[in-house]
Amino acid sequence: MAKTKTVFYCQHCGAQHAQWLGQCSTCKSWNTIVEEIVQKQEKVAWKDESTLKSKQAAKPLKISEIDSSEDIRLNTGDAEFNQVLGGGLVPGSLTLLGGEPGVGKSTLMLQIALNLPFKTLYVSGEESQKQIKMRADRMISKTDNCFILTETNTQLIFKQIANHQPDVVVIDSIQTLHTDFIEASPGSVSQIRECTSELIKFAKETHTPILLIGHITKEGNIAGPKLLEHMVDTVLQFEGDQNFVYRILRAHKNRFGSTAELGIYEMQHNGLRQVTNPSELLLSKKEEDLSGTAIAATLEGMRPLMIEIQALVSTAVYGTPQRSTTGFPAKRLNMLLAVLEKRAGFRLGAKDVFLNITGGISVSDPAIDLAVTAAILSSNEDISLNNHICFAAEVGLAGEIRPVSRIDQRIQEAATLGFEQIMVSKYAKIAGQTHGIELIRVSKIEEMVEFLFG
């Protein structure tokens, strides 16, 4: 008879305790420890032992003897998804995708599964086959190699995998799976950890890439133990607002590429459309010159973007002036307002300041500081800026204009979109060509004010 025992797990970090505690001794979280019944059984491999190759003990190798050639990546057919992953899917890798409910995680994974030129198995534990079919009918499918399976038991899933031999497996979602080896409910700490371990073993032995969809908590973290993010190879975050049509795909962890890459999609009735040139979509189309707007040249990973900064400065009605930002750090806005007050002599302490980055995206690049200050001063003076000028520089506490990294890419993107002038730091080192765009070099905030407003 199988041996049964009771253990206590922390839902936040996955630490195991011998008894219940009010506070986890590992992550110091309160009221996160739950009791679970674990039934030990003899584990069976994901396929018959007769089909498994004989295992050999790993041997140490000299570092010069290790093959350092890059693995052949699988092209997903989605340029944005490939870019975030670092070039495509790596055989034997586990990729975890998280995001808010309704942001489009299942739509993105189903769209990729329908466009993969390989045999794909889409496993859903949340929707029926008819529901998935209705969604797939709205999308453009390039291949007919996608198989749909509605199952939550990992042992039964592995049987179907052994029968169909797919090249790529998609799981929607990891919180709905359960294994017979653990006596616990689906979504619990032990179930998520054990199911992920089985999937990792399968992926590494067969070199099959697996895409996992993960739920998130109300704090915005992926549900389950933090150990889950350490076990997988890549952690992606799908961000977006229901009030905007744009979705942003970021990599929080990537063992096979950079975590600074960014993918942008537009939600449409027939699925997610790849946005290959987001700068044109993030810039407003206006016929009249309006005050309080400035264009900044920023970078997201390896991709240069031109974004529009909107500012509104008005007299405070109440005693305490308001400082409100959307898509920009509020503390950095307060710092820039203090610099304008101290170094440039503008009295903004008694005025409300509202700042917005169009398109619903969030940017933390310090290179947009100069554009933010220009938009604020434009609204304060009620003078519109030239539509053909953009900004790429950081503002220091002393009012100095500091250079930013990879200025050549920013200049090239600005020239491609038709800008005639770009304001940069006097000390910026430009190695490449200016692409016909005029460089305006400034060293202090006073020089920027003098050039724009006379």
Side-chain angles (χ1 to χ4, degrees), residues 22-42:
Q23 183 186 33
C24 177
S25 59
T26 303
C27 64
K28 307 301 180 182
S29 300
W30 288 93
N31 300 323
T32 58
I33 297 179
V34 295
E35 179 183 5
E36 294 184 3
I37 300 176
V38 179
Q39 186 174 4
K40 296 292 183 180
Q41 297 182 8
E42 183 181 355

Side-chain angles (χ1 to χ4, degrees), residues 110-296:
L110 180 59
Q111 184 170 304
I112 291 175
L114 293 174
N115 294 327
L116 278 171
F118 313 100
K119 183 185 292 186
T120 308
L121 179 63
Y122 187 94
V123 182
S124 176
E126 299 180 346
E127 296 177 304
S128 64
Q129 292 176 327
K130 291 184 178 180
Q131 288 177 306
I132 299 174
K133 172 63 175 175
M134 292 172 59
R135 179 185 294 145
D137 289 339
R138 300 195 303 266
M139 302 178 183
I140 301 175
S141 178
K142 296 181 180 179
T143 62
D144 195 26
N145 292 329
C146 181
F147 295 85
I148 307 299
L149 173 65
T150 55
E151 183 57 63
T152 57
N153 187 287
T154 56
Q155 280 68 42
L156 298 179
I157 292 174
F158 288 137
K159 287 183 179 179
Q160 297 299 328
I161 289 176
N163 294 334
H164 291 82
Q165 299 293 326
D167 299 315
V168 180
V169 178
V170 181
I171 305 293
D172 182 13
S173 64
I174 185 61
Q175 281 81 11
T176 60
L177 298 187
H178 67 92
T179 175
D180 294 335
F181 302 137
I182 298 295
E183 193 73 21
S185 59
S188 61
V189 174
S190 56
Q191 281 286 6
I192 294 177
R193 179 165 50 189
E194 185 64 27
C195 292
T196 306
S197 299
E198 293 181 4
L199 293 172
I200 289 176
K201 182 180 179 182
F202 160 74
K204 302 305 179 185
E205 289 183 359
T206 62
H207 299 284
T208 303
I210 298 179
L211 301 172
L212 304 176
I213 296 179
H215 298 163
I216 65 171
T217 61
K218 60 182 180 180
E219 291 84 11
N221 302 319
I222 295 179
K226 197 69 176 177
L227 181 65
L228 175 62
E229 299 182 35
H230 292 284
M231 295 170 68
V232 300
D233 299 309
T234 306
V235 179
L236 305 179
Q237 189 74 16
F238 204 38
E239 305 172 356
D241 195 322
Q242 294 183 355
N243 297 324
F244 296 94
V245 296
Y246 301 116
R247 303 289 186 267
I248 298 177
L249 183 66
R250 303 178 187 269
H252 289 181
K253 170 189 175 182
N254 192 355
R255 289 174 178 166
F256 310 109
S258 173
T259 57
E261 295 299 335
L262 183 77
I264 300 181
Y265 295 87
E266 181 182 4
M267 179 64 76
Q268 296 182 344
H269 69 281
N270 58 347
L272 293 164
R273 185 184 70 87
Q274 303 176 43
V275 179
T276 56
N277 189 6
S279 297
E280 295 183 355
L281 298 176
L282 297 175
L283 299 179
S284 300
K285 305 295 188 297
K286 51 183 182 293
E287 297 179 356
E288 299 180 358
D289 295 337
L290 302 176
S291 63
T293 62
I295 308 301

Side-chain angles (χ1 to χ4, degrees), residues 363-421:
V363 180
S364 59
D365 185 6
I368 69 174
D369 287 352
L370 195 60
V372 170
T373 56
I376 293 174
L377 295 180
S378 173
S379 177
N380 184 63
E381 300 296 322
D382 200 16
I383 299 176
S384 61
L385 301 178
N386 186 358
N387 290 333
H388 300 289
I389 188 174
C390 59
F391 305 85
E394 179 184 357
V395 178
L397 288 177
E400 77 277 15
I401 308 301
R402 302 172 59 86
V404 293
S405 61
R406 291 155 58 188
I407 188 66
D408 296 284
Q409 290 181 263
R410 305 173 194 264
I411 294 175
Q412 183 178 358
E413 179 70 10
T416 303
L417 294 177
F419 287 91
E420 300 174 356
Q421 297 174 321

Side-chain angles (χ1 to χ4, degrees), residues 23-89:
Q23 183 186 33
C24 177
S25 59
T26 303
C27 64
K28 307 301 180 182
S29 300
W30 288 93
N31 300 323
T32 58
I33 297 179
V34 295
E35 179 183 5
E36 294 184 3
I37 300 176
V38 179
Q39 186 174 4
K40 296 292 183 180
Q41 297 182 8
E42 183 181 355
K43 292 188 178 181
V44 182
W46 61 269
K47 60 181 180 179
D48 296 336
E49 292 291 339
S50 59
T51 60
L52 286 175
K53 297 181 180 179
S54 59
K55 296 182 180 180
Q56 297 180 354
K59 296 180 180 180
L61 296 175
K62 291 182 180 180
I63 192 169
S64 59
E65 299 175 351
I66 300 175
D67 185 12
S68 60
S69 60
E70 295 185 359
D71 295 330
I72 299 176
R73 294 176 181 260
L74 303 179
N75 184 11
T76 63
D78 189 315
E80 299 292 310
F81 197 73
N82 288 339
Q83 181 175 349
V84 176
L85 291 179
L89 286 173

